[in-house]
Amino acid sequence: MQLIARTEKVARASSAARSRWMPDLAGIVIIAAVGMAGYWLFPDNLALLTRIVAVALLVLSIDLVTGYCGVATLGQAALFGAGAYAAGIACVNGMTEPLTLVLIGAVAGAVAGLLMGSVMLRAHGLAQLVLSIAIVQLFHEAANKASAYTGGSDGLSGLMVSPLFGVFAFDLWGKTAYLFGLSLLVFVFIALKFVVSSPFGILCRGIKEDPIRVRAMGAFVFPVLLKMFAISGAVAGIGGALAAISTQVVGLDSVSFELSANALVMLVLGGLGTLYGALAGTVIFMGFEHMVSAINPFHWMTMVGALLIGVVLAAPSGLSGLLGTISRATTRGKGGRG
């Protein structure tokens, strides 16, 4: 009887685990399906789609520290740029294998994340935001002054990337670059799902909600947040490396304050603390920006601003929060009718 009881308990636990992961599995399939749909529907805009994938990785990295840890930052482009320049410099100096360049970008981003986190986490609130702006401006100026390595204001060009796996060349139409970027995005998204669902991710959310109580429970807040900064930096570095590989040039815009600010806007648009919201916000913002700038090259920023104001007023918690509210209301309505 005890054996039967234990078997039933294991079966129930296994069923609960499957039901918990089914929505995420469906979400990953949808991400891959939407990505492949973009490949077939917009074959002439693969360079733009690859750029969206690279920026989506940046926005995911911001979500880790802002959405899950509650640390406000406007300097995440420093980590993106660190990955881009590290991959670009390595490529110019003869290391041209794409996966190796992505790994170099991830390591450079993680190291930059550790440096950034060790400075920012010494302060709190508004001071953190000011420090993040100062850090990205310092990174930008350093990249500009180190022109012997970075190309300065002219950019780092001449990146000749080897074919992926020795077979798939990075062609002019961007097919290989886009499929490579989409694969990286899906892989990183799956890894981040494990991170945010782990005890470590739960602890990060606890720190965001009440850091004083977490300290009272005996947990060390600083090392936990610093570790998340390193993970966030690695993700942003992968995005930077992808941007360098796909465009074969690295410019100062890769480490600009404007990129950081736009990425944070995309995250707020999609919804903080949800990886899906980070992706949705990036696609909607960059897609809408591309569309309206083609329609009206002179007043497109006005239309983008109007969109953001409308979304923030209608859905203060972002589009993912609005969808969650609608879903809960629908579920309650069905329960009431039942």
Side-chain angles (χ1 to χ4, degrees):
M1 293 296 292
Q2 290 179 351
L3 179 60
I4 294 174
R6 282 199 298 270
T7 304
E8 290 177 349
K9 185 181 294 185
V10 170
R12 285 196 298 270
S14 176
S15 176
R18 282 196 301 269
S19 63
R20 187 171 64 252
W21 282 102
M22 281 304 293
D24 288 329
L25 182 60
I28 292 165
V29 171
I30 291 172
I31 291 170
V34 170
M36 290 308 300
Y39 178 82
W40 293 111
L41 294 175
F42 306 104
D44 297 328
N45 289 305
L46 293 181
L48 171 64
L49 295 182
T50 307
R51 176 66 179 175
I52 291 175
V53 170
V55 175
L57 289 166
L58 172 62
V59 179
L60 284 172
S61 76
I62 299 178
D63 200 16
L64 292 177
V65 295
T66 302
Y68 286 91
C69 297
V71 179
T73 174
L74 275 168
Q76 207 74 1
L79 314 183
F80 184 88
Y85 275 111
I89 292 170
C91 185
V92 168
N93 286 279
M95 197 169 292
T96 59
E97 204 283 316
L99 290 174
T100 304
L101 293 177
V102 167
L103 181 60
I104 290 171
V107 172
V111 172
L114 285 173
L115 293 174
M116 186 176 183
S118 353
V119 174
M120 283 184 58
L121 295 175
R122 304 292 177 182
H124 301 280
L126 187 59
Q128 284 182 333
L129 205 60
V130 174
L131 281 174
S132 70
I133 297 172
I135 288 169
V136 74
Q137 297 287 15
L138 285 173
F139 268 74
H140 183 277
E141 191 59 23
N144 187 30
K145 293 297 183 183
S147 56
Y149 304 99
T150 65
S153 58
D154 294 328
L156 181 65
S157 58
L159 279 67
M160 301 300 293
V161 184
S162 300
L164 183 64
F165 304 124
V167 178
F168 306 103
F170 286 83
D171 51 50
L172 183 64
W173 298 274
K175 294 179 180 179
T176 300
Y178 176 67
L179 293 176
F180 179 52
L182 181 61
S183 302
L184 283 176
L185 178 63
V186 172
F187 174 78
V188 169
F189 188 87
I190 293 171
L192 293 185
K193 267 297 174 183
F194 279 104
V195 169
V196 299
S197 302
S198 67
F200 168 73
I202 294 171
L203 180 59
C204 287
R205 286 196 289 270
I207 291 172
K208 176 187 176 183
E209 295 298 327
D210 196 340
I212 296 175
R213 181 173 294 181
V214 171
R215 288 191 184 95
M217 292 168 59
F220 295 99
V221 171
F222 181 84
V224 172
L225 295 181
L226 192 60
K227 187 184 297 183
M228 187 59 96
F229 258 95
I231 296 172
S232 168
V235 174
I238 291 173
L242 173 63
I245 290 169
S246 61
T247 61
Q248 299 187 359
V249 64
V250 184
L252 290 177
D253 59 330
S254 297
V255 64
S256 66
F257 170 74
E258 182 183 359
L259 178 60
S260 290
N262 284 342
L264 185 60
V265 168
M266 295 174 203
L267 178 59
V268 173
L269 177 64
L272 291 166
T274 62
L275 299 178
Y276 295 106
L279 297 183
T282 306
V283 172
I284 292 171
F285 181 92
M286 295 189 70
F288 185 77
E289 182 183 60
H290 175 73
M291 182 178 65
V292 297
S293 62
I295 295 173
N296 191 328
F298 301 103
H299 302 99
W300 63 271
M301 291 187 69
T302 303
M303 290 183 274
V304 171
L307 169 69
L308 295 176
I309 291 172
V311 170
V312 170
L313 291 178
S317 56
L319 295 175
S320 60
L322 178 62
L323 292 176
T325 302
I326 294 172
S327 176
R328 286 191 294 272
T330 304
T331 303
R332 282 198 300 267
K334 290 181 179 178
R337 287 194 298 272

